[in-house]
Amino acid sequence: MKAITVQDRAAGVGGMSLVDRPHPHAAENDVVVRVHAAGFTPGELEWPGTWTDRAGRDRTPSVPGHELSGVVAELGYGTTGLTVGQRVFGLADWTRNGSLAEFAAVEARNLAPLPADIDYTVGAALPISGLTAWQALFDHGRLEPGQTVLVHGAAGGVGSIAVQLAREAGATVIGTGRAHNREAALDLGVHSFVDLEADRLEDVGEVDLVLDVFGGEIGDRSAGVVRAGGTLVTIAGPPNAWPRDGRAIFFVVEADRARLADLAQRVRDGRLRVLVGAVHPLEEAAAAFAPGRRSQGKTIIRTI
Ligand SMILES: NC(=O)c1ccc[n+]([C@@H]2O[C@H](COP(=O)([O-])OP(=O)(O)OC[C@H]3O[C@@H](n4cnc5c(N)ncnc54)[C@H](OP(=O)(O)O)[C@@H]3O)[C@@H](O)[C@H]2O)c1
C-alpha cells in the first residue's frame, strides 16, 4: 500500500515521503480501515509516540496522522461492534502507524460508525478536534450554563468546535486568534473576539474557564484571567502557571466511541459545523502540511 512516512525528527513535515509499505496486520481487537480521508494535527511530529512505541523503542519510519474515516476492510480476532464494509471514523493509535496511508490498523474502540450523510472529509476532520473540545470544556473544565469561557485559537480545529459546543451549552464565549481569524470566530458564535496581536488579553476581565491551545507566554498569562474557583485547561503541554485560586489541567484527548457518535449526530442536525480547509491527495501531504501552507479549516488528505 501507499503511505506517508517520517524518519527524521529534525526534518519535520519536510521529511515526509511517499513510500510503499506492507499492508497492516489486524491484531486482536483491531480493525483494518481502508482509509478514505485522513487528518494531521499541527505539532504531531513533536509527540513522542510518533517516534517510539509504547515501550519507548524506536519505531521509525513511522506513518503519521491520527484522524481517519473510511471503510472497515478487516477485523482482528475478537473484535466486536463493527462489521466489514461499514463506514467508520475515529482516531488512530498514538504509538502505531497512523492514517496517512491507504490502510490503517487501529483499535476498534477508537472508531465509531460514520453516518452515510456525513462526507469522509468531514469524518476525518472531526475526531481529534471534536473529542478534545468536548473533553476540555465538559470533562475537565466542568463548564456550566451561564459561565464565561475564553477559547484560544477560536477559528482553529479544536477552537472552532469548542466555540460551538460552549454556545450550545449556554456559556458566554470569548474567542481569541489573529486578526484574520476574527470573522470566522464571530461566524462560529463567539460573543467577542480578542486579536492576540493587537488587543490585551487581560482586558477580557475574569472568566470561569480558559481553553488554552497555545501554551507558552499566552498560556501563562491566561492563568491570570481565571476567576477564583475557575479552571485553566490546556492541551498544549503541562502548565507553567496556575490560576490564583483555581485549577490548571493538561490532558491528552482520549478515544470515546459514544462521544464520537454524539458529535456526528450534532453535525447531521446542523448544530455543529466542521471547518474543512484544503483537500489534497496523499502524494501532496508534505506540501499540504508545510508551515505557512495552511488554509482556514482543517487540511485533509484524501486517499481515494
Ligand atoms: N492535548 C491534546 O490532546 C491535543 C489535541 C488536539 C490538539 N492539540 C494541540 O493543540 C494545538 C491546536 O490544535 P488545532 O488543531 O486547534 O490547531 P489549528 O487548527 O492550527 O488552530 C490554531 C488556531 O490558533 C491560531 N493561532 C496560532 N498561533 C497563534 C498566535 N500566536 N496568536 C493568535 N492566534 C494563533 C491559528 O491561526 P492561524 O490560522 O493564523 O494559524 C488557528 O486559528 C496544536 O498544538 C495541537 O498539537 C493537543
Side-chain angles (χ1 to χ4, degrees):
M1 68 165 185
K2 284 194 288 181
I4 295 291
T5 57
V6 289
Q7 183 139 32
D8 175 9
R9 196 171 189 148
V13 167
M16 285 183 174
S17 51
L18 184 69
V19 298
D20 276 318
R21 293 279 296 212
H23 191 89
H25 170 68
E28 206 163 310
N29 292 324
D30 266 356
V31 175
V32 173
V33 178
R34 173 60 174 105
V35 178
H36 283 234
F40 173 83
T41 304
E44 192 182 297
L45 299 187
E46 303 299 320
W47 302 347
T50 300
W51 307 102
T52 57
D53 65 14
R54 285 169 66 92
R57 291 178 296 240
D58 176 58
R59 68 179 190 86
T60 58
S62 56
V63 179
H66 291 286
E67 291 170 289
L68 77 166
S69 63
V71 172
V72 174
E74 202 182 330
L75 297 174
Y77 178 79
T79 304
T80 56
L82 297 170
T83 55
V84 171
Q86 190 171 11
R87 286 164 56 95
V88 290
F89 76 122
L91 303 176
D93 303 314
W94 308 124
T95 53
R96 293 204 293 173
N97 284 330
S99 58
L100 294 180
E102 290 179 317
F103 292 88
V106 303
E107 286 189 67
R109 64 184 176 149
N110 292 9
L111 298 171
L114 180 67
D117 53 358
I118 298 183
D119 191 81
Y120 286 113
T121 51
V122 172
L126 181 58
I128 288 186
S129 298
L131 289 176
T132 303
W134 183 281
Q135 290 165 14
L137 293 175
F138 304 114
D139 296 343
H140 302 291
R142 302 178 194 162
L143 184 67
E144 290 179 9
Q147 290 190 329
T148 298
V149 56
L150 177 79
V151 177
H152 281 308
V158 175
S160 62
I161 305 278
V163 167
Q164 297 173 79
L165 293 175
R167 276 298 300 252
E168 187 191 336
T172 298
V173 185
I174 304 167
T176 81
R178 303 183 217 271
H180 76 102
N181 302 132
R182 181 187 298 271
E183 282 313 309
L186 288 169
D187 201 39
L188 289 162
V190 298
H191 292 89
S192 58
F193 183 81
V194 178
D195 172 356
L196 290 172
E197 292 173 334
D199 307 327
R200 256 175 47 87
L201 175 63
E202 289 70 14
D203 290 344
V204 301
E206 290 192 321
V207 302
D208 299 286
L209 174 64
V210 173
L211 168 48
D212 172 37
V213 306
F214 301 134
E217 190 227 335
I218 298 172
D220 293 352
R221 285 168 53 204
S222 298
V225 302
V226 174
R227 72 168 47 104
T231 307
L232 168 67
V233 173
T234 178
I235 59 170
N240 298 314
W242 280 256
R244 273 184 316 281
D245 181 18
R247 302 178 303 144
I249 294 166
F250 164 65
F251 78 100
V252 174
V253 61
E254 292 177 90
D256 183 338
R257 179 181 288 174
R259 185 59 59 201
L260 280 177
D262 174 76
L263 290 165
Q265 186 54 43
R266 284 182 156 75
V267 173
R268 295 182 77 192
D269 62 27
R271 279 179 291 162
L272 192 59
R273 255 190 311 139
V274 181
L275 302 184
V276 176
V279 180
H280 295 270
L282 200 53
E283 294 74 11
E284 294 173 9
F289 299 124
R293 260 296 307 276
R294 308 233 348 269
S295 60
Q296 190 84 40
K298 185 114 184 164
T299 298
I300 295 297
I301 298 297
R302 283 297 302 238
T303 56
I304 288 186

